Amino acid sequence: MKKIIVIGSGFSSLSASCYLAKAGYSVEIFEKNPTVGGRARQLVKEGFTFDIGPSWYWMPDIFEKFFNEFGKKTSDYYQLDKLDPAYKIFFEDDVITIGDCMDKICEEFERIETGSSEHLRNFIGKAQENYDIAINKVVLRPGLSPLELVTKETVLRVDQFFKTISQEVRKRFKNPKLISTLEFPVLFLGAKPSKTPSFYSFMNFADFGLGTWHPKGGMYEIIKAMKSVAVELGVKINTGSPVSKILVSDKTVTGIESNGENLYADYVVSGADYHHSETLLDKQHRQYSESYWAKKTYAPSSLLFYIGFNKKLENIEHHNLFFDTDFERHAQEIYDNPKWPSDPLFYANFPSATDSTMAPNGCETGFFLIPIAPGLEDTQELREQYFDIVMDRFEKRTKQTVKKSIIFKESFCVNDFVEQYNSYKGNAYGMANTLRQTAFLRPNLKSDKVKNLFFTGQLTVPGPGVPPSLISGKLVSDLIIKKK
């Protein structure tokens, strides 16, 4: 039986491990941290439960499809609830509430801009067609050739790869709040709406059409479920096992070095940060130079706060976006002129608002996220400064005082992304999906310098986000299985 070593245990690594074990390989995972999950780990403190990383459950069909491949269903492992409302967006003078169906969302759009609901239905109809093509055709291709993007469906939409989301939205809607609401989902792809091809409007269908969901107990329940599937399939998992070198002999991978020991395998798949994975190779075996990585557009990093509150908070939902400052200026300070934002947008997540298991009785679990440029200086003083900015704005917009109700707070920022995940420049979501970084233009799933060495995750195909990471694991496993 051929042996495969997988580096890392995030979504893409666990996904690849399950597919490879099902195909009959002997699979062993090496994870540097004490628990599995990669960026999707969990913090449990004083009865409060936090998802350290991803907190949005979109595209439920992709998760369902994954578990179905192993004769399972998501409901075998966790309870999934559709959120209503899906989320709230706080502006300076108004709050937009996104309901759990198109009728409610159209009503809200109509309240803000008369006649906009008809434009919205047309826009989401087109986005749904894009979703079907993207999910069933384009993203299931391994990014080996430009021809993968050429299907009879994409040929008819070729203009959508050269127009941007921003152009598409602004053509139809005039109200700046509605524009921000429709441009927000592509931030999950890690780039400015003005740099993201309009084909990616399928994210708007994922949002308005498929809805926002919550696995009871938090996103970590998905990791636990995937770990269960992997173990049942015979995957061996080693935590506290950082990989210090990828071993190569005669231009063929032979294994890894971990905890001072050489471990041998027929194939190695790295789900760790791609740039870091290449530094585990001797220089002559690396595909990409330092200047290659430096020129790429990365998804933002984040300053995160995990806060335990000793009371239930008012005027909030499970997911809350604070767009009460200049959206465009914050985007420029992430992408065009990287610096700490002068007046940041931020996101606040209160899973205990809908899931009582996430906080002690009468308390609230709060997760705050400020998107920032990767690679910024990260100090305790800066973290405190931005904590105060966010708390003051949060109190003002939700009309309550909360600072005195904080039991504890933990923070996580650029330095932690680097230290805990070996993340390039401390990015939080991998490499952005711009036109020049789509499909075959992303770093390869397969090394072209070292035989039997493969990569998976957010810096390769298909891109950032949890559902794409699951797909990335499938794509890399397909490439290996085809070599049999």
Side-chain angles (χ1 to χ4, degrees), residues 117-134:
S117 63
E118 190 184 336
H119 292 303
L120 181 64
R121 286 191 192 277
N122 291 336
F123 178 70
I124 297 298
K126 197 169 174 182
Q128 181 172 4
E129 289 170 13
N130 286 354
Y131 186 86
D132 291 339
I133 295 163

Side-chain angles (χ1 to χ4, degrees), residues 304-317:
L304 301 147
F305 296 102
Y306 311 105
I307 304 170
F309 294 96
N310 66 10
K311 65 174 185 182
K312 296 303 283 179
L313 304 190
E314 296 165 10
N315 306 322
I316 49 110
E317 297 297 340

Side-chain angles (χ1 to χ4, degrees), residues 203-237:
M203 292 296 289
N204 295 97
F205 175 70
D207 178 3
F208 289 1
L210 298 174
T212 302
W213 301 73
H214 171 70
K216 190 175 180 185
M219 295 288 281
Y220 197 67
E221 293 302 310
I222 316 163
I223 291 289
K224 280 157 60 177
M226 291 176 76
K227 181 187 172 183
S228 291
V229 173
V231 169
E232 202 177 305
L233 289 162
V235 176
K236 188 180 173 199
I237 300 174

Side-chain angles (χ1 to χ4, degrees), residues 128-180:
Q128 181 172 4
E129 289 170 13
N130 286 354
Y131 186 86
D132 291 339
I133 295 163
I135 300 308
N136 297 317
K137 300 261 174 40
V138 178
V139 302
L140 295 175
R141 297 175 180 204
L144 301 177
S145 150
L147 296 175
E148 290 173 8
L149 288 175
V150 182
T151 68
K152 61 179 192 290
E153 295 89 357
T154 56
V155 164
L156 297 172
R157 289 171 165 72
V158 73
D159 62 316
Q160 290 190 45
F161 287 94
F162 297 98
K163 286 183 187 156
T164 69
I165 282 282
S166 210
Q167 289 167 330
E168 201 66 27
V169 166
R170 287 157 196 259
K171 193 168 74 185
R172 292 178 165 83
F173 303 91
K174 298 290 168 273
N175 186 286
K177 290 173 206 149
L178 297 188
I179 289 169
S180 291

Side-chain angles (χ1 to χ4, degrees), residues 50 126 176 310 318 325 342:
F50 302 86
K126 197 169 174 182
N310 66 10
H318 187 118
T325 60
S342 39

Side-chain angles (χ1 to χ4, degrees), residues 183-193 299-300 323 327 331 335 345 371 429:
E183 287 185 346
F184 140 72
V186 301
L187 296 179
F188 283 113
L189 300 170
K192 284 171 71 173
F323 284 7
F327 187 108
Y335 297 105
L345 308 171
Y429 314 102

Side-chain angles (χ1 to χ4, degrees), residues 118-416:
E118 190 184 336
H119 292 303
L120 181 64
R121 286 191 192 277
N122 291 336
F123 178 70
I124 297 298
K126 197 169 174 182
Q128 181 172 4
E129 289 170 13
N130 286 354
Y131 186 86
D132 291 339
I133 295 163
I135 300 308
N136 297 317
K137 300 261 174 40
V138 178
V139 302
L140 295 175
R141 297 175 180 204
L144 301 177
S145 150
L147 296 175
E148 290 173 8
L149 288 175
V150 182
T151 68
K152 61 179 192 290
E153 295 89 357
T154 56
V155 164
L156 297 172
R157 289 171 165 72
V158 73
D159 62 316
Q160 290 190 45
F161 287 94
F162 297 98
K163 286 183 187 156
T164 69
I165 282 282
S166 210
Q167 289 167 330
E168 201 66 27
V169 166
R170 287 157 196 259
K171 193 168 74 185
R172 292 178 165 83
F173 303 91
K174 298 290 168 273
N175 186 286
K177 290 173 206 149
L178 297 188
I179 289 169
S180 291
T181 302
L182 288 167
E183 287 185 346
F184 140 72
V186 301
L187 296 179
F188 283 113
L189 300 170
K192 284 171 71 173
S194 58
K195 288 272 165 50
T196 304
S198 69
F199 180 73
Y200 285 104
S201 69
F202 66 74
M203 292 296 289
N204 295 97
F205 175 70
D207 178 3
F208 289 1
L210 298 174
T212 302
W213 301 73
H214 171 70
K216 190 175 180 185
M219 295 288 281
Y220 197 67
E221 293 302 310
I222 316 163
I223 291 289
K224 280 157 60 177
M226 291 176 76
K227 181 187 172 183
S228 291
V229 173
V231 169
E232 202 177 305
L233 289 162
V235 176
K236 188 180 173 199
I237 300 174
N238 306 281
T239 52
S241 301
V243 173
S244 46
K245 193 167 177 64
I246 295 173
L247 307 174
V248 177
S249 174
D250 196 20
K251 296 185 181 173
T252 303
V253 81
T254 57
I256 60 163
E257 183 187 290
S258 177
N259 292 333
E261 192 184 347
N262 285 358
L263 302 140
Y264 297 100
D266 300 288
Y267 298 91
V268 171
V269 177
S270 183
D273 175 275
Y274 203 131
H275 168 268
H276 169 72
S277 302
E278 285 231 308
T279 67
L280 301 176
L281 292 159
D282 291 334
K283 225 168 192 168
Q284 72 269 28
H285 300 313
R286 297 174 194 172
Q287 304 171 89
Y288 305 109
S289 64
E290 283 301 317
S291 64
Y292 169 90
W293 294 110
K295 285 177 193 153
K296 293 294 170 189
T297 302
Y298 292 88
S301 186
S302 303
L303 169 55
L304 301 147
F305 296 102
Y306 311 105
I307 304 170
F309 294 96
N310 66 10
K311 65 174 185 182
K312 296 303 283 179
L313 304 190
E314 296 165 10
N315 306 322
I316 49 110
E317 297 297 340
H318 187 118
H319 296 291
N320 310 267
L321 298 162
F322 289 79
F323 284 7
D324 50 327
T325 60
D326 189 334
F327 187 108
E328 187 53 38
R329 182 166 66 169
H330 190 165
Q332 282 169 3
E333 289 166 343
I334 293 172
Y335 297 105
D336 305 335
N337 178 24
K339 60 180 178 185
W340 277 91
S342 39
D343 212 355
L345 308 171
F346 66 94
Y347 157 65
N349 169 244
F350 303 99
S352 48
T354 58
D355 181 352
S356 61
T357 67
M358 304 287 285
N361 199 24
C363 297
E364 208 84 83
T365 290
F367 164 115
F368 290 75
L369 180 156
I370 303 171
I372 59 171
L376 294 183
E377 178 195 19
D378 169 17
T379 65
Q380 203 48 50
E381 293 72 29
L382 280 163
R383 294 186 190 197
E384 288 304 319
Q385 181 189 330
Y386 279 84
F387 177 74
D388 291 338
I389 289 171
V390 162
M391 282 299 122
D392 289 346
R393 289 237 314 275
F394 179 76
E395 289 187 332
K396 184 179 175 186
R397 295 290 165 233
T398 61
K399 301 178 173 60
Q400 63 190 316
T401 56
V402 299
K403 275 187 251 179
K404 291 184 182 132
S405 302
I406 292 173
I407 302 170
F408 65 83
K409 79 168 194 289
E410 302 258 343
S411 65
F412 198 97
C413 196
V414 173
N415 294 348
D416 303 295

